[in-house]
Amino acid sequence: MSDDEKAAKELVETLRDGEKGFAAAAEKLRDGDRPEWASTLQRLSEQRAQFSREIIELGHAYGDDVDESGTATAALHRGWIALKDAVTGDDAGAVLGAAVTGEDHAVSEYEKALEKDLSAGFREVVSRQHQAVVAARNEVKALQTVD
């Protein structure tokens, strides 16, 4: 398996986790006292879905089946796992904190991918998406400072 394919599988899993995590967080906050946070998190969920589709399409162009899970672990298995506990309560701050934790993980996964020997075209996509994921993490962290 090429480094491109390995990295793509890991990133697709991470992106799917983020998509689901952001969507769950948005749903939790939609009817609460922070509906504006919900719209931001929903937008980021949609961004993750788009990023995942882009990597899958690129993988298919290279002949790789990157939309198959790279491991046998369950959905939301990594950085977003704290969201499960956060969404059961009513604390908007806890939901946002879980989102930041998930984003920290996503940034880390992109940085690991960028350390691999990626093809030029795939590296360009990963670099661009990495910048957007870092910006999203910073945006979510900034929400934590809003009272």
Side-chain angles (χ1 to χ4, degrees), residues 32-129:
D33 60 348
R34 297 291 189 179
E36 69 279 8
W37 290 0
S39 62
T40 296
L41 299 179
Q42 185 61 46
R43 176 177 48 80
L44 294 174
S45 173
E46 292 164 7
Q47 176 196 64
R48 296 312 152 82
Q50 191 276 323
F51 284 177
S52 177
R53 284 190 302 271
E54 182 178 24
I55 290 175
I56 290 168
E57 289 170 9
L58 189 60
H60 287 168
Y62 288 145
D64 295 330
D65 192 14
V66 300
D67 54 345
E68 290 298 316
S69 177
T71 64
T73 55
L76 301 176
H77 62 295
R78 299 179 194 175
W80 282 94
I81 198 68
L83 185 65
K84 180 181 176 186
D85 295 329
V87 297
T88 60
D90 291 324
D91 184 3
V95 172
L96 209 54
V100 169
T101 299
E103 285 303 88
D104 286 341
H105 175 74
V107 168
S108 173
E109 286 298 310
Y110 271 90
E111 289 169 352
K112 283 187 220 172
L114 289 168
E115 291 173 3
K116 295 184 185 305
D117 184 24
L118 304 178
S119 66
F122 187 54
R123 178 170 296 283
E124 182 180 316
V125 169
V126 172
S127 293
R128 178 178 38 78
Q129 288 187 3

Side-chain angles (χ1 to χ4, degrees), residues 8-22:
K9 284 178 181 266
E10 289 299 317
L11 290 176
V12 166
E13 277 190 44
T14 298
L15 289 164
R16 286 180 175 159
D17 288 351
E19 176 188 357
K20 291 173 186 172
F22 275 133

